[in-house]
Amino acid sequence: MKLGRFILILGFLGVIFSLSIASLIEKDKAESLYENRTLAQEPVKDLKLIWSGQYFQQYETYFSDQFVYRDRWVRHFTDLQMTMPQTFINGFYIAKDNHVIAQPVTDFPKQELDASAKALNDLGNYLQRKGTPLYYFPLPSKANTAADLLPSYVPEGRGVANKKYLLSKIDKKLVHVTDISGEFKKNRTPQQVADLYFKTDHHWNIEGALLGYQQVIKRLAKDFPNISTDTAKSTFTHSCINNPFVGSLNKQLLLEVDLHADKVCYYMPKDYSFNDYKVYRNGINENNRTLLQSIYSTYKKQPNEKIEYGSAYTWDLTEFNIVNPKSTNNLRALIIKDSYGNAASFHMAHHFKETTVYDIRHNPSRTLYSYLDTHQFDLVIIEYNDTYLSGPLFNFTKTVKVN
């Protein structure tokens, strides 16, 4: 009996010791594909950190992130959760039709929301002195707009309430605010609302992107009558591809949901072409001229190629610029956006002479204000999905670097 226990203990310690040694030998990974985040790296051996205890805390996180076969262990844990009768798996609800919905947020970050409102008001005041109007569109996110697909017993989150609070603090004399979420729910069932979004990704699909684009142009045309309003579905050709789709939420579920649960589709214009545009990276300069295909729909067009939202439409980039030679006006528009803006950036460019698409998260060497000090626009548009109500995207006076 004692010998059996000794062998069991020895075997257990042997496994732990072997895995620990393997973790130290195996090359560290920079990021986790499935969790969509940067992994902790080995902390710097610093006496101050050691004495304060921070070194050991950082090392514990590093050891956990770099543990050998980590993705495999996480996958097994996810598999186990999916066999159990629980509502949320890794923070997500999986509906019967494979729609993945994030667990609702419950916190009310009042201080952060107040800071965002102040940042928007200050930016609006700065631009107003330059004679440039600022438009803010909190785009309807899947997490907030499709939450009705969650079971009825799940408590309502604070996502929509937080958005309403932020909008109430914005000075409408300085910032033109338009919440288009009502149009997404108008005459639609909860299932039809959810179908405006990818099932396995946190972004809208082309149906949602087109609807959002239509509402943005409709609002801008009220103040700029020379902006064309040819945005009806009938002016586009609809097509889809059958490639496997790697959704951002599916990644966090270790790709347990069928990669063919979603189809990537497009609405391409009938009366003009994206190929009519002159496209640039990081400023309108002939040295920066590039091909449409280097920015829009960059996947390799192979039959079984796995596609992500970014490769289907546009990745988050520092800055790219579109000149429309056939524009009916001379307007210069700056679009400050998160990834929700990627699906319709080239559609938006049809309505202006020059369109600059700018992502604060990928401009670590300059602030938004320093950029605006050296560039002139006729209108500035902020398009952030309405789960992004605070944080780095509202740091207009500071440089931002987001992994």
Side-chain angles (χ1 to χ4, degrees):
M1 191 71 173
K2 290 183 178 180
L3 180 61
R5 288 181 179 177
F6 177 76
I7 293 173
L8 181 62
I9 293 171
L10 191 63
F12 176 75
L13 292 175
V15 170
I16 296 296
F17 183 74
S18 299
L19 290 175
S20 299
I21 293 297
S23 296
L24 293 173
I25 295 174
E26 189 176 75
K27 186 178 180 181
D28 291 346
K29 296 178 180 178
E31 58 186 24
S32 170
L33 169 67
Y34 297 116
E35 296 172 274
N36 198 31
R37 69 177 181 87
T38 301
L39 297 177
Q41 301 300 301
E42 185 175 3
V44 178
K45 296 179 179 66
D46 183 276
L47 283 176
K48 289 183 179 179
L49 291 176
I50 293 173
W51 282 113
S52 68
Q54 292 183 40
Y55 175 82
F56 300 102
Q57 294 175 3
Q58 293 175 14
Y59 196 90
E60 183 180 351
T61 303
Y62 159 70
F63 187 79
S64 173
D65 275 7
Q66 300 297 342
F67 195 78
V68 66
Y69 303 135
R70 185 178 190 280
D71 284 344
R72 188 177 298 179
W73 295 115
V74 174
R75 176 183 285 278
H76 289 326
F77 179 64
T78 302
D79 287 338
L80 178 63
Q81 289 185 86
M82 293 185 75
T83 63
M84 300 173 69
Q86 60 187 65
T87 303
F88 295 103
I89 300 168
N90 293 353
F92 302 99
Y93 171 73
I94 306 175
K96 290 181 180 179
D97 66 344
N98 285 331
H99 255 299
V100 182
I101 310 292
Q103 189 168 358
V105 298
T106 57
D107 63 318
F108 172 45
K110 182 178 182 300
Q111 187 174 354
E112 289 86 347
L113 295 174
D114 287 339
S116 297
K118 183 179 185 305
L120 287 167
N121 290 335
D122 289 346
L123 180 61
N125 185 45
Y126 163 85
L127 289 170
Q128 194 174 83
R129 295 198 304 270
K130 295 182 71 172
T132 306
L134 173 62
Y135 296 85
Y136 173 50
F137 294 91
L139 303 178
S141 66
K142 179 181 181 180
N144 290 335
T145 313
D148 290 339
L149 219 59
L150 293 169
S152 58
Y153 58 80
V154 175
E156 183 179 356
R158 277 208 54 93
V160 174
N162 288 345
K163 176 179 67 174
K164 289 181 178 179
Y165 177 82
L166 171 63
L167 300 188
S168 72
K169 295 297 180 179
I170 297 175
D171 188 340
K172 308 307 186 294
K173 295 179 181 178
L174 299 173
V175 185
H176 302 282
V177 178
T178 304
D179 182 3
I180 64 175
S181 59
E183 291 297 324
F184 274 60
K185 293 195 171 186
K186 188 176 180 180
N187 301 322
R188 289 184 175 87
T189 65
Q191 184 63 56
Q192 289 171 330
V193 171
D195 288 341
L196 296 171
Y197 300 86
F198 282 111
K199 292 180 179 181
T200 64
D201 196 277
H202 72 283
H203 296 101
W204 52 22
N205 57 28
I206 198 60
E207 298 295 337
L210 184 73
L211 178 57
Y213 150 71
Q214 290 170 332
Q215 297 307 310
V216 170
I217 293 301
K218 181 180 178 181
R219 171 62 187 90
L220 296 177
K222 290 181 179 179
D223 293 347
F224 296 90
N226 53 351
I227 289 180
S228 59
T229 56
D230 50 341
T231 63
K233 274 190 179 181
S234 59
T235 64
F236 298 93
T237 299
H238 182 261
S239 64
C240 300
I241 56 178
N242 293 314
N243 293 59
F245 179 74
V246 181
S248 59
L249 303 183
N250 202 6
K251 282 184 182 181
Q252 297 183 61
L253 291 169
L254 285 297
L255 303 184
E256 292 287 353
V257 181
D258 183 7
L259 296 186
H260 289 280
D262 285 301
K263 271 191 176 182
V264 172
C265 299
Y266 297 88
Y267 278 112
M268 302 305 287
K270 295 178 180 178
D271 299 327
Y272 66 95
S273 170
F274 293 166
N275 288 312
D276 296 336
Y277 299 151
K278 294 180 180 179
V279 183
Y280 305 84
R281 285 284 294 271
N282 302 318
I284 300 174
N285 182 304
E286 282 307 309
N287 293 329
N288 297 335
R289 185 82 178 268
T290 189
L291 298 174
L292 166 72
Q293 294 78 11
S294 71
I295 294 180
Y296 185 76
S297 187
T298 58
Y299 76 99
K300 297 177 182 178
K301 313 299 185 289
Q302 299 299 317
N304 294 314
E305 179 184 354
K306 292 179 181 178
I307 299 177
E308 298 182 50
Y309 176 81
S311 60
Y313 303 111
T314 302
W315 292 106
D316 293 330
L317 301 172
T318 300
E319 173 192 350
F320 66 92
N321 321 86
I322 305 169
V323 175
N324 178 12
K326 297 183 179 180
S327 174
T328 58
N329 59 59
N330 290 312
L331 292 173
R332 295 161 297 178
L334 171 64
I335 301 175
I336 304 165
K337 56 87 203 172
D338 68 2
S339 54
Y340 262 64
N342 294 348
S345 294
F346 282 80
H347 298 76
M348 289 285 292
H350 168 62
H351 302 274
F352 312 105
K353 181 69 174 181
E354 294 179 6
T355 303
T356 294
V357 182
Y358 188 96
D359 195 321
I360 286 178
R361 299 167 298 180
H362 296 273
N363 277 274
S365 62
R366 60 186 176 189
T367 69
L368 178 61
Y369 277 104
S370 65
Y371 179 77
L372 290 169
D373 282 341
T374 56
H375 295 78
Q376 185 63 42
F377 299 98
D378 298 298
L379 66 162
V380 174
I381 305 160
I382 296 179
E383 295 181 337
Y384 294 162
N385 85 79
D386 62 13
T387 61
Y388 270 134
L389 300 175
S390 61
L393 284 170
F394 292 86
N395 285 341
F396 305 139
T397 61
K398 299 178 181 179
T399 56
V400 174
K401 184 178 182 180
V402 178
N403 291 322

